[in-house]
Amino acid sequence: MSENASTFKAKSTIKSADLDHRFKVNFNIGKYNNAVPLGKLQFRDTDLARERAKNVKWRAIETLDQQLEDFESNFTRRGGKVIWAEDAEQALASILEICKAKNCKSVVKSKSMVTEEIHLNKFLGEHNIESVETDLGEYIQQLDGEPPYHIVTPAMHKSKEDVAKLFYEKLHTPPNLTPQQLTLVAREKLRAKYPVAEIGVTGANFIIADTGSIAVTENEGNARLSAAFPKTHIVIVGIEKVIPSLSDLSLFWPLLATYGTGQKVTVYNSIFSGPRQAGETDGPTEMYVILLDNGRTNILDNPVTRESLYCIRCGACLNACPVYKNIGGHAYGSTYSGPIGSVITPQLSGLKEWKHLSNASSLCGNCTEVCAVKINLHELLLENRYEAAESGLASTGEKLAWKLWKTASLSRKMMNTGNKKIKNWMVNKAFSGWTAHRSGLDFAAKTFNQQWKEKTGSGASD
Ligand code: SF4
């Protein structure tokens, strides 16, 4: 078993027995579940909207090279700069180069999973550059020294009391502040950061090819401030975020809002198309977009799992997943958690180290059911399992167990041998890894042949 798999198993075992955690997560997901049906009312045909979105993403991904080149030429025409990064190291090196050129001491950044993927905050810290998370949830997580718990709501696992305690310990505020008071404390702290930061970093929800723009969706206005105050704006975005046209936003913005939080449309939706132009009074004087591959072209190369690149990171599949709701976002040990994380992490970072995530699923299909862009998530989990088995990555014990199972299942003679008690003991012993956390397998008291004979009066063949 890989180290990641052992850690995953240990963390999941602890978390799934933590009733306090389960209560908090279910409470927050409960609020989400109440909001989503209201958001969906804005669509005349929700299913058709999802189908259309899937088709748009299909077209974008099938023509990814052309779409990205179109974006680059349209964006650079207005003075923006595009950097192509094959991996995290290249992205970080480019960011550091820009920081050095700007003599940067502090960065303000908005929530971005890609910056988590490349561990940007840690990297900047190692180079004595302060990187401040300005999204409230991310700010809370940064104060607590934890990565985001959820791709949309980073501090979903914390109650308001937990946050009040954290602020008391880290910021020395009174211990029992209300959510409103806590927000005002965070606002006061963060507002002071924008005017002094040399660089603002954001992610992007969409890369728009035909206008050469990026679109950023948020509820707090912090991404706008991060992009507008500092003289330099750096956008880091995965290459799969492309959509062909500005007009596609009329479909994707409401879908993202409804499936992300149950809103009809998110509070702030910004489109950035380059640095400040002549005659404009505000905005950054320089704007960079770093297009990050970091394993995405490996997924593109796989005709089956390619579909996972359609993801718009709405988080709906996490909220619907019985595994995620019990083990929580941190047990996965990867940047992307939940069903989509279990599909893409093994593809992005290697099946050998991460295939266990694809096994941690009941295959109930709830994720596929709720996906905003209709990705067949549970089938992709099966595909990862298939690819892992085909690549010979199963352990010797697992291979042997399945071989025995197959041999016995295909032989009526073996199935008819021994009584229920002996068979239960043998099988549950052989599959003890399986039965450690599940009820044991229980054979019927009578074999199929015996039952058939009793029913029909004739014997079934071996
Ligand atoms: S896979 Fe689908 S449901 Fe999950 S985050 Fe992506 S778009 Fe949302």
Side-chain angles (χ1 to χ4, degrees):
M1 192 185 288
S2 72
E3 204 182 318
N4 289 334
S6 316
T7 312
F8 173 72
K9 216 168 163 185
K11 284 187 177 173
S12 314
T13 306
I14 295 168
K15 233 8 152 194
S16 53
D18 181 344
L19 297 183
D20 183 47
H21 167 262
R22 194 182 300 178
F23 172 79
K24 287 171 192 164
V25 171
N26 283 342
F27 175 78
N28 285 320
I29 291 182
K31 286 204 286 190
Y32 167 87
N33 288 341
N34 290 336
V36 171
L38 301 176
K40 281 185 185 169
L41 292 176
Q42 68 180 313
F43 300 103
R44 200 179 303 157
D45 185 340
T46 314
D47 212 43
L48 183 62
R50 293 165 69 210
E51 194 69 47
R52 283 195 174 148
K54 182 172 190 171
N55 287 340
V56 173
K57 285 301 290 186
W58 169 80
R59 185 155 64 90
I61 296 298
E62 291 300 312
T63 55
L64 188 60
D65 50 348
Q66 190 56 55
Q67 301 287 349
L68 291 172
E69 282 175 16
D70 286 353
F71 164 77
E72 182 179 32
S73 62
N74 290 325
F75 181 67
T76 50
R77 197 174 306 137
R78 272 186 312 280
K81 293 173 186 146
V82 172
I83 297 168
W84 299 77
E86 272 178 32
D87 51 31
E89 287 68 38
Q90 282 188 10
L92 292 170
S94 304
I95 295 165
L96 186 60
E97 203 177 306
I98 299 167
C99 287
K100 281 184 176 163
K102 307 295 167 199
N103 199 18
C104 176
K105 299 277 178 299
S106 71
V107 162
V108 278
K109 69 179 285 289
S110 69
K111 190 170 84 59
S112 142
M113 291 310 291
V114 164
T115 57
E116 294 294 328
E117 184 183 326
I118 62 172
H119 304 294
L120 178 63
N121 287 350
K122 184 170 170 276
F123 175 81
L124 290 176
E126 286 162 3
H127 290 88
N128 300 317
I129 299 167
E130 184 193 38
S131 179
V132 183
E133 294 289 350
T134 61
D135 169 271
L136 181 57
E138 283 284 3
Y139 179 64
I140 291 167
Q141 289 305 92
Q142 191 176 34
L143 272 184
D144 209 6
E146 277 191 333
Y149 176 92
H150 185 283
I151 58 178
V152 175
T153 40
M156 177 197 253
H157 59 310
K158 288 186 167 77
S159 65
K160 56 184 189 297
E161 290 79 17
D162 292 336
V163 179
K165 186 166 169 276
L166 178 72
F167 275 39
Y168 166 68
E169 286 168 3
K170 303 282 178 174
L171 303 175
H172 313 297
T173 55
N176 297 318
L177 293 187
T178 63
Q180 194 181 14
Q181 289 168 324
L182 292 165
T183 308
L184 288 174
V185 170
R187 181 156 87 161
E188 197 189 322
K189 299 270 177 207
L190 293 171
R191 288 270 160 124
K193 300 287 181 185
Y194 296 110
V196 293
E198 294 86 3
I199 293 176
V201 173
T202 69
N205 295 90
F206 302 102
I207 303 167
I208 306 163
D210 68 350
T211 57
S213 317
I214 61 124
V216 178
T217 287
E218 44 145 359
N219 272 314
E220 296 168 18
N222 62 301
R224 284 185 171 190
L225 293 174
S226 301
F229 264 97
K231 288 216 165 72
T232 304
H233 177 195
I234 302 177
V235 180
I236 309 160
V237 58
I239 52 174
E240 81 285 9
K241 291 289 186 73
V242 77
I243 52 174
S245 170
L246 187 71
S247 61
D248 296 323
L249 286 176
S250 62
L251 176 60
F252 282 99
W253 271 346
L255 264 185
L256 180 59
T258 292
Y259 282 81
T261 54
Q263 290 165 283
K264 281 188 177 161
V265 71
T266 315
V267 178
Y268 299 102
N269 290 289
S270 309
I271 297 171
F272 301 106
S273 304
R276 183 190 302 189
Q277 304 293 295
E280 289 181 350
T281 52
D282 53 19
T285 49
E286 271 189 281
M287 183 175 171
Y288 297 84
V289 172
I290 300 179
L291 298 172
L292 181 71
D293 178 345
N294 211 25
R296 286 160 175 80
T297 44
N298 295 339
I299 303 183
L300 186 68
D301 193 37
N302 183 326
V304 182
T305 54
R306 178 181 293 184
E307 189 180 340
S308 61
L309 296 175
Y310 304 168
C311 176
I312 58 169
R313 306 276 188 266
C314 70
C317 57
L318 281 65
N319 300 335
C321 177
V323 176
Y324 181 88
K325 282 194 269 193
N326 278 290
I327 67 170
H330 289 149
Y332 290 78
S334 54
T335 305
Y336 304 101
S337 57
I340 186 62
S342 299
V343 168
I344 62 173
T345 307
Q347 295 286 335
L348 287 172
S349 310
L351 278 167
K352 193 164 181 238
E353 285 297 314
W354 295 99
K355 72 181 171 65
H356 58 278
L357 294 185
S358 305
N359 290 331
S361 164
S362 64
L363 298 178
C364 65
N366 226 12
C367 46
T368 302
E369 212 39 46
V370 300
C371 177
V373 287
K374 289 196 159 199
I375 300 171
N376 288 314
L377 288 157
H378 68 292
E379 287 179 16
L380 300 186
L381 290 170
L382 275 175
E383 172 64 20
N384 280 356
R385 295 183 189 187
Y386 170 75
E387 287 181 17
E390 283 295 294
S391 321
L393 292 175
S395 67
T396 315
E398 191 183 338
K399 281 185 207 159
L400 190 69
W402 286 116
K403 201 172 170 64
L404 284 173
W405 179 266
K406 187 178 170 190
T407 310
S409 305
L410 291 175
S411 162
R412 191 94 311 271
K413 208 172 254 167
M414 285 179 83
M415 294 299 278
N416 287 349
T417 308
N419 62 27
K420 167 186 163 88
K421 216 166 157 189
I422 294 172
K423 284 193 278 194
N424 280 350
W425 182 83
M426 275 177 59
V427 170
N428 288 324
K429 196 90 185 148
F431 288 89
S432 58
W434 173 270
T435 53
H437 300 283
R438 301 170 179 88
S439 49
L441 296 167
D442 191 18
F443 281 81
K446 292 177 183 170
T447 66
F448 174 75
N449 286 74
Q450 287 167 331
Q451 292 183 49
W452 184 264
K453 203 169 183 178
E454 281 174 13
K455 199 172 173 178
T456 63
S458 64
S461 79
D462 284 355

